[in-house]
Amino acid sequence: MDPPTTDPRRLATLPHILARLSAIQSDESELSAALADLLSAHEPIAASLNNLRSLGPQLDLLAKETRLLDQTVSLTARTAQDVGGRVQSLDEEMRRVREASERVSQIIELKSSLAALRSSIEQQDWETATRHCARAMALPLHVISGPFAETAVPTPESHLPPAQTLQAAREELLTVFRREFERASRARDATATSRFFKLFPAIGWEAEGLQAYASFVVELVKVRPPASAKTSSPLYYITALTALFESIALIVDQHQPVVEKYYGAGKMGLVLERLSQEADRVVRDLVEGWEEERAMKRKLSDSSSSPLSAALQRPGNTVDPVDEELVDPREIDKVMSEAAGMSGRWGLFRKFMHDRLQDETEEDEEEGSDEDGLVHPDRHKPPTTSANGDSEDATPAAFQVIEDSKSRQTIEGMLSTYYTPLEVWYARSVIEKAHRLSTHDLTQTPITTTTPDDAFYILKSVLSRMLSTASVSTVERTSEQLRDVMDRDYARVIKQKLDNVYKGGSAGPGARGEKAERENRQAFIILLNDLDVSSSHMERLVKDLSQSTLVPQHFLDSETEPVRNSLNSFMTLVPKFRSTLRAGVEQLFNQLLRPKLRTFIADVYKDVSYVLDEDGYAGAELQDLVRKRFVKAWEGLIEGYKDTFTESNYRLFFGLALDVLVRPWEKFVAGLKYSELGAIRFDHDLRAVVAYLSSQTVFGDIREKFVRLQQIATLLNLDSEEDVDEFYNGSGISWQLSQQEARAVANLRV
């Protein structure tokens, strides 16, 4: 149906008319409600309008008063602005007057200072001249060079502008100070030297003063070996370097406070550069002289071509004596001690410089030196280098001069070129000799050879000498190569000897039977003892060197950690020693003892039954067959091993024997039957055997290997009415038997 139209005149049907009428009635209701709401809100609106009308007169009064106040304030502001402008003009005039007065005072000061300066120069009163020159230089440059000064300051006697006059006086004083300082330096006049040294910075000639001072101290540290000294002396080059570094250290120790007092903190670095240049020259000459005098290139070449490892590669052969003498290890030992000594002196000097510069930075200028603090070095003893390390560089600029010096490069070059390869060759040669001359050390119990003591004595000497070089890179480089030497030329040679014991037979071709077997066994055990002793020696050596004073004495705090890491890297050899050792012990055990253990348990329990009545139990207790047979058989097996093995090796050997013995034992007892008294007897026999084995050793882990057997004995001795599963789950025992195995053991009871 179409929607009704909104025009009443067009309504044609009754439904449309009714719908339209309903809509009109709804609109009427809405309009009535809206009109009612408006009528109800009329009264509050009318009240608010009345209130606003009552405020009108009051607002008019306030507006009038505000206009009067604005007129008054505007008048006062104009008056204040007029007064302020006049005050500002007056302030500007006063500022100009003060500036003019100050400028006049400065000009008077400049003129009087220049006049007094000229007078002092003529009277050769250099300290007074310096003070007057410093007073003139303290004035602003625009005052000295200004037109007023150029007009007012010149006099008939000095007609030049004041800036030129001052510069000429400064240059004249510089010439005088240089001349007098050099004269005092040549005369070794400490008082005069100090007098003129402190005058340079006061008149702005700091760089020139430091240059003059550097030339002075370079002359002090020049090395002049005594005429009686010979380059062939093993201490000649070490002594020369010691004298050089002690002289420089003494200069720094005594003169640095003075330099920094008058020239400022950090100025000693400029002097150190000149000292470093002189040290570079001397160090280079000494190292080159040492290389030539000791024929280092020939020694290095000969050691490289020496057939050192021939005896190591072919056991039983020896090196030709002619070839062996091609390079004398004793000569190498001497020159390596010289090289380490020279490097060590540099390291101690470097560490002293680090500590000294560090201390000065921390103290600032709290501990100043006397004005006449420059003292000739031969009047005092050299300072002692501190063995205590400090924190990281607090004076990197000054200390960097030492770090970047040619001296350090020369020393490091000598160490990498000669020290490391020759030190490694020396270690190899001595270890080879220790193997070649190895004999049984009968003073030791148990017996070892002389090889471990000889080799590790030399290794300790070599490592100590390596630490004394005070070079981290040398320690890292040499340590790596020495580890290879100990692995290749020491541990592998012992392993090679172990392999050859039963190949060629150490007892010789004429030995036969039990004697040969006994001698081979003893030789094999002694080599295993060498490996055990070597492991202990290595652990103790690394610990002793890491905790020794050599490390903090020669290295900075920041360097001790990498040095100790290099030493601790030798501990990686210990597992290799012990691996070879364990393999050797297992080989010996498998070859000599394991075959004899195959029937051991069966022989011990031959004709033994655990199905016992009271008479049988009494007889078994009286005879005690299991314990007696076990003790007799065991002593026959291990006779001679306990006294010849080291404690650690014997423990390993003993443990292998028990490991091989226990499993067959468990299987054997699982095939027997047990009465109530038989189970008690089995427990008694087991405890007796375990007590005997424990008495044969000092290590306390024997009983741990018999836990399963002891648990079997426990299950066999349960009451007949006790449930096995309940006991297994509720006993609190840490079972090594499975629950199924426990049931099987319980079923062995009859």
Side-chain angles (χ1 to χ4, degrees):
M1 185 175 65
D2 297 333
T5 181
T6 57
D7 187 358
R9 290 187 295 269
R10 295 184 180 182
L11 297 175
T13 63
L14 180 62
H16 290 169
I17 294 171
L18 292 176
R20 181 58 184 161
L21 181 60
S22 176
I24 292 172
Q25 289 175 349
S26 298
D27 293 340
E28 180 184 8
S29 298
E30 292 177 1
L31 289 174
S32 297
L35 288 173
D37 291 340
L38 288 174
L39 290 174
S40 64
H42 174 70
E43 293 181 359
I45 295 174
S48 298
L49 290 174
N50 292 331
N51 290 334
L52 289 175
R53 292 189 189 96
S54 65
L55 292 175
Q58 298 178 13
L59 293 175
D60 293 338
L61 180 61
L62 288 175
K64 182 178 180 181
E65 292 178 353
T66 301
R67 284 193 293 272
L68 292 175
L69 180 62
D70 177 64
Q71 294 175 1
T72 304
V73 171
S74 299
L75 179 61
T76 304
R78 286 194 296 272
T79 304
Q81 185 176 4
D82 294 340
V83 174
R86 295 177 183 178
V87 170
Q88 289 178 356
S89 300
L90 182 60
D91 288 341
E92 178 65 19
E93 292 178 2
M94 292 179 65
R95 185 188 66 77
R96 293 178 179 178
V97 169
R98 285 195 300 270
E99 183 178 343
S101 175
E102 183 179 356
R103 180 65 58 86
V104 171
S105 299
Q106 290 174 340
I107 296 301
I108 294 174
E109 175 74 12
L110 176 61
K111 187 171 184 177
S112 62
S113 297
L114 292 178
L117 172 60
R118 174 49 53 190
S119 175
S120 299
I121 291 175
E122 293 174 354
Q123 297 175 9
Q124 297 187 356
D125 186 352
W126 309 121
E127 284 77 6
T128 304
T130 300
R131 286 196 299 272
H132 291 307
C133 184
R135 284 172 54 197
M137 292 173 60
L139 296 173
L141 182 60
H142 67 273
V143 174
I144 299 175
S145 303
F148 183 36
E150 292 180 354
T151 303
V153 173
T155 62
E157 293 79 12
S158 178
H159 58 278
L160 294 175
Q164 297 182 18
T165 303
L166 179 59
Q167 182 63 22
R170 289 180 65 239
E171 292 177 355
E172 182 178 357
L173 289 176
L174 174 61
T175 302
V176 172
F177 293 168
R178 278 178 171 171
R179 182 181 66 248
E180 296 299 326
F181 184 86
E182 292 173 359
R183 181 183 302 170
S185 301
R186 289 192 297 271
R188 295 294 189 266
D189 187 345
T191 302
T193 302
S194 178
R195 173 192 176 190
F196 288 98
F197 173 67
K198 66 184 181 182
L199 297 180
F200 284 97
I203 58 174
W205 299 117
E206 289 185 3
E208 289 73 8
L210 290 173
Q211 289 176 359
Y213 169 73
S215 301
F216 162 62
V217 295
V218 164
E219 290 296 324
L220 295 181
V221 302
K222 283 187 176 179
V223 177
R224 299 182 179 87
S228 59
K230 297 181 179 179
T231 56
S232 59
S233 170
L235 297 178
Y236 173 83
Y237 294 100
I238 297 177
T239 303
L241 282 179
T242 302
L244 170 68
F245 295 140
E246 282 185 348
S247 298
I248 296 176
L250 184 61
I251 291 296
V252 173
D253 185 59
Q254 294 184 344
H255 295 198
Q256 182 185 3
V258 181
V259 173
E260 296 192 348
K261 178 179 180 180
Y262 294 109
Y263 287 76
K267 297 299 183 181
M268 193 65 184
L270 301 175
V271 179
L272 285 178
E273 290 183 10
R274 287 292 303 277
L275 288 173
S276 178
Q277 293 172 4
E278 175 63 19
D280 294 344
R281 182 188 64 80
V282 176
V283 170
R284 183 186 66 252
D285 292 345
L286 288 174
V287 171
E288 291 176 353
W290 174 77
E291 292 177 3
E292 182 178 355
E293 178 68 25
R294 303 295 185 256
M296 293 306 300
K297 293 182 179 179
R298 180 180 59 81
K299 286 183 172 64
L300 185 62
S301 176
D302 291 346
S303 66
S304 301
S305 59
S306 176
L308 180 62
S309 60
L312 301 179
Q313 295 172 353
R314 298 187 298 274
N317 297 344
T318 57
V319 179
D320 187 355
V322 176
D323 292 337
E324 186 180 5
E325 293 300 324
L326 182 63
V327 181
D328 188 354
R330 292 172 296 182
E331 287 297 322
I332 300 300
D333 183 38
K334 291 179 181 178
V335 295
M336 289 303 94
S337 296
E338 277 190 289
M342 290 190 290
S343 178
R345 296 305 186 273
W346 163 257
L348 290 174
F349 167 72
R350 173 175 170 265
K351 189 173 189 304
F352 166 80
M353 293 301 298
H354 174 273
D355 294 346
R356 189 67 178 85
L357 295 173
Q358 173 84 16
D359 292 341
E360 284 298 321
T361 301
E362 291 177 351
E363 294 172 5
D364 292 326
E365 296 183 356
E366 183 177 345
E367 297 180 0
S369 177
D370 294 337
E371 291 184 345
D372 56 350
L374 291 177
V375 184
H376 191 263
D378 57 10
R379 299 183 185 179
H380 295 274
K381 295 181 179 180
T384 302
T385 302
S386 172
N388 298 325
D390 290 311
S391 59
E392 295 295 326
D393 300 349
T395 54
F399 188 63
Q400 200 62 32
V401 173
I402 304 298
E403 294 290 84
D404 297 338
S405 65
K406 294 293 182 62
S407 297
R408 185 178 187 183
Q409 298 174 14
T410 302
I411 295 294
E412 291 290 345
M414 174 197 68
L415 292 174
S416 62
T417 303
Y418 298 112
Y419 174 80
T420 297
L422 290 177
E423 190 72 281
V424 172
W425 181 91
Y426 172 73
R428 294 189 64 200
S429 68
V430 175
I431 290 175
E432 184 272 337
K433 187 174 182 180
H435 283 303
R436 182 158 42 87
L437 302 181
S438 176
T439 59
H440 292 173
D441 189 355
L442 301 179
T443 63
Q444 297 288 336
T445 304
I447 299 176
T448 60
T449 69
T450 57
T451 303
D453 288 346
D454 292 345
F456 278 89
Y457 173 80
I458 293 301
L459 181 61
K460 181 178 181 180
S461 301
V462 168
L463 292 179
S464 299
R465 182 161 59 195
M466 177 189 71
L467 292 177
S468 69
T469 62
S471 169
V472 177
S473 60
T474 299
V475 169
E476 294 175 342
R477 180 175 60 249
T478 309
S479 295
E480 181 179 359
Q481 297 187 33
L482 287 176
R483 287 198 308 274
D484 293 339
V485 169
M486 292 302 294
D487 182 23
R488 181 181 63 251
D489 296 340
Y490 182 76
R492 291 186 188 178
V493 171
I494 295 180
K495 184 178 184 301
Q496 201 173 47
K497 290 180 178 179
L498 285 170
D499 295 339
N500 292 332
V501 168
Y502 286 101
K503 287 182 180 178
S506 64
R512 293 292 184 271
E514 294 184 1
K515 181 180 179 182
E517 191 276 336
R518 186 169 58 252
E519 291 180 355
N520 287 339
R521 182 184 70 179
Q522 184 180 19
F524 199 88
I525 290 175
I526 289 175
L527 289 172
L528 293 176
N529 291 343
D530 283 353
L531 284 173
D532 184 45
V533 171
S534 299
S535 299
S536 301
H537 282 356
M538 183 64 77
E539 290 172 345
R540 185 167 62 251
L541 176 60
V542 171
K543 179 180 178 182
D544 291 345
L545 288 178
S546 296
Q547 296 177 354
S548 70
T549 58
L550 287 172
V551 177
Q553 181 179 351
H554 290 88
F555 298 93
L556 306 181
D557 273 359
S558 58
E559 298 172 337
T560 55
E561 183 176 355
V563 170
R564 289 195 172 100
N565 289 340
S566 295
L567 292 175
N568 291 332
S569 65
F570 282 90
M571 291 297 293
T572 58
L573 295 173
V574 175
K576 296 182 179 180
F577 292 168
R578 297 201 184 280
S579 176
T580 303
L581 170 61
R582 183 174 183 85
V585 172
E586 290 177 350
Q587 177 186 345
L588 183 69
F589 173 79
N590 292 332
Q591 186 169 343
L592 300 182
L593 204 60
R594 182 185 286 272
K596 299 178 181 180
L597 290 174
R598 291 171 182 168
T599 61
F600 186 90
I601 295 299
D603 293 341
V604 169
Y605 282 95
K606 184 179 181 181
D607 300 329
V608 173
S609 174
Y610 286 111
V611 181
L612 302 174
D613 55 14
E614 292 184 1
D615 292 338
Y617 180 83
E621 187 172 4
L622 179 64
Q623 293 177 358
D624 199 12
L625 284 178
V626 172
R627 187 190 64 82
K628 291 179 179 179
R629 288 177 180 176
F630 188 95
V631 171
K632 182 178 180 180
W634 185 261
E635 289 180 349
L637 283 176
I638 64 171
E639 181 183 4
Y641 289 106
K642 184 175 182 180
D643 295 333
T644 54
F645 269 128
T646 62
E647 179 181 331
S648 177
N649 289 353
Y650 183 66
R651 179 176 185 173
L652 178 59
F653 188 80
F654 197 90
L656 289 174
L658 291 182
D659 290 339
V660 171
L661 188 65
V662 167
R663 284 298 178 185
W665 196 345
E666 293 174 5
K667 293 180 180 180
F668 185 86
V669 299
L672 301 177
K673 295 294 184 179
Y674 303 85
S675 64
E676 183 177 353
L677 291 176
I680 295 174
R681 185 63 212 173
F682 172 74
D683 182 69
H684 183 275
D685 289 341
L686 180 62
R687 291 178 185 276
V689 170
V690 173
Y692 164 73
L693 291 175
S694 298
S695 68
Q696 298 300 302
T697 61
V698 295
F699 30 92
D701 56 353
I702 298 300
R703 296 183 183 275
E704 296 177 2
K705 297 182 180 297
F706 289 88
V707 171
R708 287 174 57 87
L709 281 170
Q710 289 172 343
Q711 290 179 358
I712 291 174
T714 301
L715 292 169
L716 291 172
N717 282 278
L718 289 178
D719 294 337
S720 57
E721 64 274 6
E722 191 167 1
D723 183 71
V724 175
D725 291 337
E726 183 179 350
F727 178 77
Y728 187 91
N729 295 319
S731 63
I733 296 175
S734 179
W735 293 96
Q736 292 190 9
L737 296 173
S738 67
Q739 193 165 1
Q740 184 178 358
E741 290 175 327
R743 294 193 195 102
V745 170
N747 292 331
L748 298 175
R749 295 179 296 181
V750 297

